[in-house]
Amino acid sequence: MRKRVLVFVAAAVIVATSLAVTLSSGADAAREIVLEVRGMAFYMDGAGAANPVVRARPGELLRVTVRNSDAGLVHDFAVADLGVVLRPVQGGATGSVVFRAPREGGTYLYVCQPHAQMMRGRLEVSRD
Ligand SMILES: [Cu+2]
């Protein structure tokens, strides 16, 4: 009898765990965009052009991760029009901010606030 109860409890734990995994990896999971900062500029996945255009779909949930490779310099990431601000990221550290792209398409300015004259690019929200 006791063995039967244990089997039931074990089965319930397995079902609950797989349900939690399913829910957390659902359709609303944020898409991660990694921006490496070096030499006072953003690089998508650490490569390509400086201060790249970041593209998103309307209403898309995004996680922007800033990897600061500038030793001794503090950088951040902000989109003023969307109220998006990442806390300052120390040299050698990484920080993330999660936000939802606006439902209307458009072009929004992103900057590193302390270095907004050099570190600035466009967030383009569109369906295509
Ligand atoms: Cu900066």
Side-chain angles (χ1 to χ4, degrees), residues 64-66 68 74-78 84-91 93-98 112-114:
V64 170
T65 295
V66 170
N68 182 358
V74 175
H75 296 297
D76 66 12
F77 175 91
V84 173
V85 181
L86 170 63
R87 59 165 178 73
V89 181
Q90 304 292 322
T94 297
S96 294
V97 61
V98 175
C112 167
Q113 294 177 109

Side-chain angles (χ1 to χ4, degrees), residues 3-99:
K3 196 176 270 179
R4 195 169 285 179
V5 170
L6 276 176
V7 167
F8 175 78
V9 169
V13 167
I14 289 167
V15 167
T17 304
S18 57
L19 187 63
V21 168
T22 303
L23 290 175
S24 66
S25 64
D28 216 26
R31 178 169 67 88
E32 185 172 45
I33 294 167
V34 177
L35 295 173
E36 183 188 8
V37 179
R38 55 187 152 78
M40 300 282 282
F42 292 101
Y43 294 90
M44 184 78 73
D45 296 320
N51 301 323
V53 173
V54 174
R55 298 183 190 284
R57 305 255 174 219
E60 186 178 20
L61 192 61
L62 304 171
R63 175 191 307 278
V64 170
T65 295
V66 170
R67 206 164 61 207
N68 182 358
S69 298
D70 273 343
L73 286 175
V74 175
H75 296 297
D76 66 12
F77 175 91
V79 186
D81 286 344
L82 305 180
V84 173
V85 181
L86 170 63
R87 59 165 178 73
V89 181
Q90 304 292 322
T94 297
S96 294
V97 61
V98 175
F99 64 98

